[in-house]
Amino acid sequence: MAVPARTCGSSWLGPVRTARPWPGRGPRPFPDPRGPASWPARPLLLLLPPLLLLPLLTAPGASAYSFPQQHTMQHWARRLEQEIDGVMRIFGGVQQLREIYKDNRNLFEVQENEPQKLVEKVAGDIESLLDRKVQALKRLADAAENFQKAHRWQDNIKEEDILYYDAKADAELDDPEGEDVERGSKASTLRLDFMEDPNFKNKVNYSYTAVQIPTDIYKGSTVILNELNWTEALENVFIENRRQDPTLLWQVFGSATGVTRYYPATPWRAPKKIDLYDVRRRPWYIQGASSPKDMVIIVDVSGSVSGLTLKLMKTSVCEMLDTLSDDDYVNVASFNEKAQPVSCFTHLVQANVRNKKVFKEAVQGMVAKGTTGYKAGFEYAFDQLQNSNITRANCNKMIMMFTDGGEDRVQDVFEKYNWPNRTVRVFTFSVGQHNYDVTPLQWMACTNKGYYFEIPSIGAIRINTQEYLDVLGRPMVLAGKEAKQVQWTNVYEDALGLGLVVTGTLPVFNLTQDGPGEKKNQLILGVMGIDVALNDIKRLTPNYTLGANGYVFAIDLNGYVLLHPNLKPQTTNFREPVTLDFLDAELEDENKEEIRRSMIDGNKGHKQIRALVKSLDERYIDEVIRNYTWVPIRSTNYSLGLVLPPYSTFYLQANLSDQILQVKLPISKLKDFEFLLPSSFESEGHVFIAPREYCKDLNASDNNTEFLKNFIELMEKVTPDSKQCNNFLLHNLILDTGITQQLVERVWRDQDLNTYSLLAVFAATDGGITRVFPNKAAEDWTENPEPFNASFYRRSLDNHGYVFKPPHQDSLLRPLELENDTVGVLVSTAVELSLGRRTLRPAVVGVKLDLEAWAEKFKVLASNRTHQDQPQKCGPSSHCEMDCEVNNEDLLCVLIDDGGFLVLSNQNHQWDQVGRFFSEVDANLMLALYNNSFYTRKESYDYQAACAPQPPGNLGAAPRGVFVPTIADFLNLAWWTSAAAWSLFQQLLYGLIYHSWFQADPAEAEGSPETRESSCVVKQTQYYFGSVNASYNAIIDCGNCSRLFHAQRLTNTNLLFVVAEKPLCSQCEAGRLLQKETHSDGPEQCELVQRPRYRRGPHICFDYNATEDTSDCGRGASFPPSLGVLVSLQLLLLLGLPPRPQPQVHSFAASRRL
């Protein structure tokens, strides 16, 4: 019996069918994540039991060929399994390698990883490292307070009286356009010599400190000169600290005036455009200068707020958001007659990078209309702060109001919500040029322990949106020693090129008194900081003893990772911390949520879990078993965790002591070292060595041949017991060199690889050796020479059986070129070694299949041949089943791996598509496999990706944000004064920075990496085998063009064997599963904040002190702008004359007399 051949539009099952319409409006949803079980009934069942299906596949009187029966395809699958297993047994040498290890048992010892002891030791080492920095911090903070207390304020101080190294001076003097963008003379600037220091990745001078002053601060002002005067004494303390602890990196004092003094001196890394760095906006300064904050920002959007004033408000809000850290909570609302949130956030949310981005985008959509209603705005703000049903900082509470002015004092609101305790501070900001009475705004701030600020123009935004931190610092200063507690920051990018760091911070207080018997000063002088590079912390963790898939990680109270192998930001922006949550660094599940919570709470714990992990190349998902062990790092906000697979409980440690005692010559004379020499490669196979730090003097290189050469040259000089080398790494490398050479001798050398169509055989070890045989195969070897960083190695350890890895193909690149048999498919498996009751996996072995030859072999194995040279053919009167060889024009046969990538095909035209996601080869069939649960999909987000910059939305010639005045503005005198100041500011900045200040994002340096690529979110989709292990047939129901297919997992491999009819019609091309990365905005933030992840704030809070003096609450600008001066400046501007810069005056100037 046979099934009639189909034509397009006909059906296997008799009469022509019409597709059943989807019972709903619009097209059928694709694909339903719940799987086929959730779909409505169809004309044909997708899955049929084999016994019921077979009668449907045959019909009497049919022509020659029929679709293969299930038992036939199972027979083909067994032949494939046997062929793969046979080749791996002969050439892989798993059993032989086990015997080699046992024969050399005297050359190594088996050591045990004891998780609890390991993690406690590492936590203690990290604690000791950080404690040394803490002691240095305390010495600096105490010295700074004493120096400032002893300093005499000088009203008549001049620039030439102060000699210091201006870190930005060299960059300014070397300006190719000859423009001096800084104000002030260079006469007082030292010129220093620098020497390269690898610890700082920079040129430094250890004899001096360097000073950085923000661009928008006049360095010749009396306040700044006095600051430079007294902080000069810190230089000797910095130097003494380094003498006591030579491992210290940057030591920094960030002053509340904006001055940064750091040691050792190094030139500032100034961008090609305007330098916007201000220490007071750095994450470490913000964290050290005040306790956590609950902040509600309310913005007046009444009709009087229009044009430039509204733009100033939008920019001010964005700048205000930048003063908040992840320990803070915030919401932003606009108000006129009514108040409403500007975004989808209806309550306070964590001030993390993604939430602040939502606010900044939403603020740009504010429109001015209606009348001013302060009452509505303040009632909304107080209600937000009184909401106790949400996660929040529960420390400083404040309301920031931006308005152009008004008459209402809303005293009744304050009496109802805030008096008499005044637990909420109110800060008011008068924005724009106007003639309104500001007394009500001053009164609101002064009666609610806040401060009143004026923002008449864009130049006042940055300084006045960060000065509120001084007010919040008052309770800290008054608390004295109780508040002098070191805090450790999130991970962030060092502005001077050190890379990823954490910083210990300690506030510095003003200990002076205004006069005899007067209250002591309550101003914070600044924050002292000491950096610790993440690489220095990583060096304290075991790496190679934990195996390829074991690792150490650490998190902070927010759940952000401090250490993690997946903490690899592609781009970094030094203005924002690197905040990767533990649940985003790994694939989230309930067990990991529980572990994260326990670590944040400072508990110890151990838990074995079954989890999903991504492969190193992020193409595959493996289900694995992992043991998690964690302990808190005392005296810090961090918690440390250790992750070990069960097979990494034990590891090998080479014991070459007998050889070492016999050989007092260089290591190159040791036994087995000769097999590392290139002269042995032709007979013993090519050796790649992992680029590890075997010795301190070993020169690193990205070229493995060059690295091997450097290694051999060094070994000619180094004795086996040299103190400059890591004996564990070095001896294990030599041990594995000999072990793998014996594998060549016992197995590979006498085998003919061509007989089984193999391009290469290989072995890789924990010790860092990758041996590829024959030598010529190394020319096409593209795997990472570090086994721990090779995807095939790590996956083989996590999976039983044989792991196939086709060559990686991007759908956007051209297909593979099958020339000279150079394209191969890797097949690897782990070597499991049992020594007594101890089991470990010290190596991975495998073969590289010749793709084209094995594709032909695949067709033969999945055919009806009874003899290799005699394919079975059906005669005119005979009936037989189709097979993958004879009927390859009608039958599609493929091997697909567990990630859904094509490995082998019986279709010659698909050979160059091997390695591509199968949906790109046959979308219809891949969708059917997914819908029938052969594959499961996992979607996640990569928050560390780098994306090409988006083209600017404004294609006009003018910079974005330039204000176009209306007729009413021309008639308004206030507009003319504002326009003059604005025009002057444009003259100073537009030549340096093209982006408008009215954009939410700060300007980036032209030509810097940030402008070429920016951080973005990428959505990743991986597929892995579902729960189906059985072999069964199914029909792809596609209206008039149904397709029959059979799918079966191959035992002991990561392969799926699929046989299907080739599609005769295109009606089934309904949709395509996607596997490649896609740009994304990430998960919907508005939904995420409704279920925030668990976190804890700092253990201490200083938001109240009964002795606080709130009389200094802002009285407006000390020197109101002169219309005559502004007109003069505008005339100078129009005449093209460079105006003489004026010192910037702000309301805190008098308070800064130190």
Side-chain angles (χ1 to χ4, degrees):
M1 296 187 298
V3 178
R6 292 181 300 159
T7 59
C8 187
S10 64
S11 167
W12 280 110
L13 303 177
V16 173
R17 301 189 308 270
T18 58
R20 178 177 179 178
W22 178 252
R25 297 182 180 179
R28 182 192 300 271
F30 167 77
D32 191 324
R34 295 170 297 173
S38 64
W39 296 1
R42 301 182 178 181
L44 279 178
L45 294 177
L46 281 180
L47 298 179
L48 295 175
L51 294 178
L52 296 178
L53 188 62
L54 284 175
L56 300 177
L57 302 179
T58 57
S63 57
Y65 292 110
S66 67
F67 189 80
Q69 297 189 57
Q70 182 164 343
H71 66 83
T72 301
M73 292 180 283
Q74 290 174 337
H75 172 65
W76 295 346
R78 284 193 297 272
R79 290 171 65 176
L80 289 167
E81 293 165 357
Q82 291 167 2
E83 184 71 12
I84 294 167
D85 185 65
V87 169
M88 290 298 292
R89 285 181 181 275
I90 295 172
F91 291 94
V94 173
Q95 185 57 40
Q96 293 90 331
L97 193 56
R98 289 195 189 107
E99 293 172 1
I100 292 171
Y101 274 110
K102 291 178 181 178
D103 291 344
N104 292 274
R105 184 66 183 82
N106 63 311
L107 297 180
F108 61 84
E109 298 173 356
V110 179
Q111 303 290 347
E112 183 177 1
N113 283 315
E114 300 181 67
Q116 193 64 40
K117 289 184 178 179
L118 264 177
V119 74
E120 287 179 353
K121 180 184 182 304
V122 175
D125 291 343
I126 295 176
E127 180 189 356
S128 298
L129 171 72
L130 299 183
D131 184 64
R132 293 196 297 272
K133 318 307 176 189
V134 168
Q135 299 309 313
L137 268 176
K138 290 180 178 178
R139 288 192 293 269
L140 282 169
D142 291 344
E145 290 173 350
N146 291 330
F147 291 150
Q148 188 274 332
K149 186 176 181 181
H151 172 255
R152 285 174 170 265
W153 177 270
Q154 301 179 47
D155 286 319
N156 300 320
I157 194 169
K158 299 178 181 179
E159 288 187 72
E160 50 266 30
D161 298 334
I162 306 297
L163 193 64
Y164 66 98
Y165 173 65
D166 184 347
K168 296 197 290 186
D170 291 339
E172 293 160 10
L173 292 173
D174 294 338
D175 186 353
E177 299 180 4
E179 296 181 3
D180 183 5
V181 298
E182 284 284 348
R183 295 170 285 185
S185 169
K186 302 294 185 297
S188 58
T189 298
L190 293 169
R191 302 302 298 270
L192 304 180
D193 295 323
F194 301 94
M195 59 183 296
E196 194 71 38
D197 190 319
N199 295 322
F200 287 89
K201 303 178 183 178
N202 222 327
K203 293 182 177 181
V204 300
N205 184 308
Y206 282 112
S207 300
Y208 294 90
T209 57
V211 171
Q212 190 274 351
I213 301 175
T215 303
D216 55 350
I217 291 180
Y218 177 43
K219 63 180 65 173
S221 72
T222 305
V223 171
I224 298 301
L225 293 175
N226 274 276
E227 189 85 4
L228 293 172
N229 191 18
W230 77 261
T231 58
E232 182 183 4
L234 289 172
E235 197 165 89
N236 292 331
V237 187
F238 286 141
I239 294 173
E240 176 60 21
N241 270 346
R242 180 177 180 272
R243 189 191 66 78
Q244 294 188 31
D245 182 4
T247 66
L248 280 177
L249 296 176
W250 300 122
Q251 303 176 65
V252 187
F253 174 61
S255 167
T257 63
V259 172
T260 305
R261 188 180 285 272
Y262 59 90
Y263 175 86
T266 190
W268 189 250
R269 303 181 75 181
K272 294 183 180 179
K273 289 190 174 182
I274 190 170
D275 180 17
L276 296 180
Y277 181 94
D278 189 323
V279 69
R280 295 167 296 183
R281 290 179 173 269
R282 298 293 283 143
W284 65 269
Y285 184 95
I286 294 170
Q287 179 170 324
S290 64
S291 294
K293 302 174 279 294
D294 286 324
M295 177 188 290
V296 179
I297 302 173
I298 54 176
V299 185
D300 181 359
V301 292
S302 60
S304 61
V305 180
S306 61
L308 182 59
T309 301
L310 182 58
K311 290 180 181 290
L312 290 172
M313 286 186 180
K314 292 177 179 179
T315 306
S316 298
V317 172
C318 293
E319 291 291 325
M320 179 68 72
L321 290 169
D322 285 339
T323 67
L324 302 177
S325 70
D326 290 81
D327 289 333
D328 304 321
Y329 282 74
V330 64
N331 201 357
V332 182
S334 61
F335 69 90
N336 37 42
E337 302 94 337
K338 296 181 180 179
Q340 59 183 6
V342 298
S343 69
C344 57
F345 301 143
T346 58
H347 55 73
L348 292 171
V349 297
Q350 188 181 17
N352 58 39
V353 174
R354 291 191 286 277
N355 286 342
K356 288 192 287 188
K357 181 182 178 182
V358 172
F359 282 127
K360 290 178 180 180
E361 292 174 350
V363 162
Q364 301 307 315
M366 293 190 305
V367 178
K369 60 181 179 180
T371 59
T372 303
Y374 287 160
K375 184 173 183 178
F378 277 106
E379 285 184 338
Y380 178 88
F382 280 114
D383 286 340
Q384 290 277 299
L385 293 172
Q386 290 182 353
N387 184 357
S388 59
N389 296 323
I390 58 169
T391 305
R392 55 182 184 173
N394 284 321
C395 193
N396 284 295
K397 298 178 179 61
M398 68 202 68
I399 298 172
M400 325 296 277
M401 182 180 72
F402 293 88
T403 180
D404 63 343
E407 301 297 329
D408 191 1
R409 300 192 178 200
V410 290
Q411 181 172 340
D412 57 329
V413 175
F414 297 131
E415 290 175 347
K416 176 181 178 182
Y417 290 96
N418 203 36
W419 294 354
N421 296 326
R422 292 173 170 79
T423 56
V424 177
R425 298 181 187 268
V426 175
F427 296 85
T428 55
F429 298 81
S430 174
V431 183
Q433 297 280 354
H434 52 74
N435 297 319
Y436 299 128
D437 180 14
V438 298
T439 304
L441 299 181
Q442 294 173 345
W443 180 88
M444 292 179 193
C446 293
T447 56
N448 291 280
K449 299 172 65 174
Y451 210 93
Y452 165 74
F453 298 94
E454 289 183 357
I455 302 179
S457 62
I458 197 168
I461 290 178
R462 280 171 63 86
I463 192 70
N464 286 320
T465 54
Q466 65 194 23
E467 292 283 6
Y468 77 93
L469 291 172
D470 288 326
V471 178
L472 300 189
R474 292 172 182 170
M476 292 180 64
V477 178
L478 295 172
K481 291 184 179 181
E482 184 184 353
K484 299 296 290 291
Q485 300 192 29
V486 174
Q487 297 186 67
W488 290 95
T489 67
N490 297 331
V491 177
Y492 68 94
E493 177 79 5
D494 173 48
L496 289 172
L498 201 57
L500 296 180
V501 299
V502 294
T503 298
T505 65
L506 194 61
V508 179
F509 301 150
N510 190 332
L511 302 183
T512 61
Q513 293 181 335
D514 294 334
E518 297 289 333
K519 293 182 179 179
K520 70 176 184 178
N521 200 305
Q522 56 186 13
L523 283 175
I524 186 170
L525 291 177
V527 177
M528 202 67 73
I530 289 183
D531 290 345
V532 178
L534 287 196
N535 286 336
D536 289 344
I537 300 178
K538 288 178 184 177
R539 291 190 186 98
L540 301 176
T541 65
N543 40 19
Y544 299 110
T545 60
L546 302 181
N549 291 315
Y551 57 92
V552 171
F553 71 98
I555 66 173
D556 63 16
L557 295 179
N558 281 302
Y560 299 145
V561 295
L562 162 72
L563 296 175
H564 199 285
N566 294 334
L567 179 62
K568 297 179 289 189
Q570 301 301 306
T571 64
T572 51
N573 178 355
F574 75 81
R575 296 181 183 90
E576 295 285 359
V578 179
T579 53
L580 179 67
D581 196 283
F582 170 65
L583 297 178
D584 295 322
E586 305 191 1
L587 292 176
E588 182 177 357
D589 61 35
E590 291 181 359
N591 286 316
K592 292 178 183 177
E593 287 181 14
E594 181 182 328
I595 292 169
R596 178 181 177 274
R597 176 183 286 266
S598 179
M599 293 179 72
I600 290 173
D601 286 339
N603 300 323
K604 294 183 178 180
H606 175 84
K607 189 178 183 69
Q608 183 177 89
I609 67 173
R610 183 174 293 275
L612 298 178
V613 298
K614 289 182 189 176
S615 64
L616 198 63
D617 55 13
E618 298 183 327
R619 286 159 58 87
Y620 299 92
I621 294 284
D622 290 312
E623 188 174 2
V624 300
I625 294 175
R626 294 287 189 263
N627 292 306
Y628 282 74
T629 308
W630 60 95
V631 297
I633 303 176
R634 289 173 296 183
S635 304
T636 73
N637 294 330
Y638 304 134
S639 184
L640 187 76
L642 172 67
V643 181
L644 272 181
Y647 54 78
S648 290
T649 301
F650 300 97
Y651 63 93
L652 299 184
Q653 180 172 353
N655 180 15
L656 306 181
S657 55
D658 291 341
Q659 294 185 35
I660 290 173
L661 290 173
Q662 295 171 12
V663 182
K664 295 299 182 180
L665 299 172
I667 287 179
S668 59
K669 303 303 180 182
L670 280 175
K671 179 186 176 183
D672 296 332
F673 187 87
E674 62 181 287
F675 301 120
L676 276 176
L677 303 177
S679 58
S680 70
F681 288 177
E682 197 59 41
S683 61
E684 311 300 331
H686 193 100
V687 173
F688 298 91
I689 68 170
R692 300 174 180 175
E693 194 175 343
Y694 300 100
C695 300
K696 294 178 182 178
D697 294 338
L698 179 58
N699 294 325
S701 174
D702 292 333
N703 183 300
N704 199 258
T705 301
E706 183 178 343
F707 181 74
L708 179 59
K709 178 184 175 183
N710 296 341
F711 177 80
I712 292 172
E713 289 177 352
L714 183 62
M715 293 303 105
E716 296 285 352
K717 308 171 186 175
V718 174
T719 57
D721 55 351
S722 171
K723 300 299 182 183
Q724 67 155 308
C725 294
N726 184 321
N727 287 337
F728 173 80
L729 294 182
L730 195 56
H731 295 177
N732 275 32
L733 181 79
I734 296 172
L735 171 69
D736 286 355
T737 300
I739 294 286
T740 55
Q741 186 277 332
Q742 292 180 48
L743 184 63
V744 175
E745 191 174 291
R746 296 191 190 186
V747 182
W748 295 348
R749 190 181 294 157
D750 297 330
Q751 299 290 347
D752 182 6
L753 302 187
N754 292 329
T755 303
Y756 286 86
S757 305
L758 302 182
L759 297 175
V761 288
F762 60 90
T765 70
D766 278 358
I769 291 292
T770 302
R771 190 179 291 274
V772 180
F773 186 88
N775 183 40
K776 65 178 182 179
E779 298 173 5
D780 301 313
W781 187 258
T782 58
E783 302 302 318
N784 197 308
E786 170 56 82
F788 286 14
N789 291 336
S791 183
F792 82 88
Y793 192 85
R794 294 172 66 161
R795 293 204 71 215
S796 297
L797 295 176
D798 271 334
N799 290 275
H800 293 284
Y802 308 124
V803 178
F804 281 68
K805 180 179 179 289
H808 184 190
Q809 276 211 79
D810 192 299
S811 59
L812 301 178
L813 302 179
R814 64 182 181 179
L816 292 171
E817 296 180 359
L818 298 174
E819 296 179 2
N820 302 321
D821 298 333
T822 58
V823 177
V825 175
L826 288 188
V827 188
S828 57
T829 187
V831 177
E832 188 162 283
L833 190 61
S834 294
L835 300 170
R837 296 182 178 180
R838 296 169 294 185
T839 301
L840 62 159
R841 298 176 186 174
V844 169
V845 296
V847 301
K848 190 175 185 181
L849 308 180
D850 182 329
L851 174 60
E852 194 167 355
W854 270 78
E856 292 290 351
K857 182 179 293 190
F858 169 59
K859 289 193 287 187
V860 173
L861 292 171
S863 73
N864 296 322
R865 284 198 192 196
T866 56
H867 188 275
Q868 186 168 353
D869 297 325
Q870 297 178 358
Q872 178 178 340
K873 295 185 178 180
C874 290
S877 58
S878 62
H879 303 289
C880 58
E881 297 173 341
M882 291 189 288
D883 68 29
C884 299
E885 181 184 23
V886 175
N887 307 98
N888 61 353
E889 294 183 359
D890 303 304
L891 204 62
L892 171 67
C893 303
V894 291
L895 290 177
I896 312 172
D897 70 16
D898 56 328
F901 298 96
L902 179 62
V903 176
L904 288 175
S905 172
N906 73 329
Q907 305 297 310
N908 292 20
H909 69 277
Q910 291 181 352
W911 290 353
D912 62 359
Q913 299 183 67
V914 165
R916 288 194 171 176
F917 186 57
F918 192 59
S919 187
E920 298 167 13
V921 180
D922 191 328
N924 178 234
L925 183 53
M926 184 64 195
L927 177 61
L929 294 172
Y930 171 71
N931 285 338
N932 286 290
S933 300
F934 283 100
Y935 285 95
T936 300
R937 177 169 55 194
K938 181 67 177 179
E939 294 178 339
S940 59
Y941 294 94
D942 178 5
Y943 294 99
Q944 305 177 90
C947 300
Q950 297 294 322
N954 182 6
L955 301 179
R960 287 183 59 191
V962 174
F963 173 58
V964 180
T966 64
I967 298 297
D969 291 322
F970 276 110
L971 299 177
N972 189 325
L973 179 61
W975 178 83
W976 280 100
T977 60
S978 176
W982 170 236
S983 182
L984 173 62
F985 195 79
Q986 283 181 314
Q987 171 71 10
L988 292 174
L989 291 185
Y990 273 171
L992 302 170
I993 178 171
Y994 185 75
H995 293 303
S996 168
W997 265 78
F998 288 138
Q999 290 178 280
D1001 294 331
E1004 299 289 354
E1006 183 181 13
S1008 68
E1010 290 85 354
T1011 58
R1012 293 192 296 271
E1013 286 186 335
S1014 59
S1015 177
C1016 63
V1017 180
V1018 167
K1019 184 178 182 180
Q1020 294 183 339
T1021 305
Q1022 288 92 9
Y1023 293 81
Y1024 60 101
F1025 281 151
S1027 57
V1028 176
N1029 290 311
S1031 164
Y1032 56 84
N1033 299 323
I1035 292 177
I1036 303 174
D1037 185 9
C1038 191
N1040 298 332
C1041 293
S1042 297
R1043 290 175 71 186
L1044 189 67
F1045 74 91
H1046 168 92
Q1048 177 174 341
R1049 294 264 295 273
L1050 295 189
T1051 304
N1052 210 34
T1053 73
N1054 67 324
L1055 297 179
L1056 181 69
F1057 176 41
V1058 182
V1059 179
E1061 297 173 304
K1062 293 181 71 173
L1064 298 180
C1065 306
S1066 60
Q1067 295 179 14
C1068 286
E1069 298 297 327
R1072 173 173 294 183
L1073 296 176
L1074 297 177
Q1075 190 273 338
K1076 63 180 182 181
E1077 292 183 342
T1078 56
H1079 296 322
S1080 170
D1081 292 331
E1084 180 56 54
Q1085 286 296 117
C1086 303
E1087 297 177 4
L1088 287 181
V1089 296
Q1090 301 303 322
R1091 50 182 191 282
R1093 286 171 172 166
Y1094 180 72
R1095 66 173 295 278
R1096 291 180 63 186
H1099 304 299
I1100 56 174
C1101 172
F1102 298 97
D1103 61 342
Y1104 172 79
N1105 191 290
T1107 63
E1108 178 183 346
D1109 179 8
T1110 61
S1111 60
D1112 181 12
C1113 55
R1115 301 297 176 188
S1118 303
F1119 302 97
S1122 166
L1123 179 60
V1125 172
L1126 289 175
V1127 170
S1128 299
L1129 291 173
Q1130 181 68 6
L1131 289 174
L1132 287 172
L1133 176 63
L1134 295 174
L1135 292 173
L1137 299 176
R1140 179 184 178 88
Q1142 299 298 314
Q1144 184 175 22
V1145 179
H1146 55 87
S1147 53
F1148 264 80
S1151 302
R1152 283 290 165 213
R1153 294 194 172 190
L1154 306 176

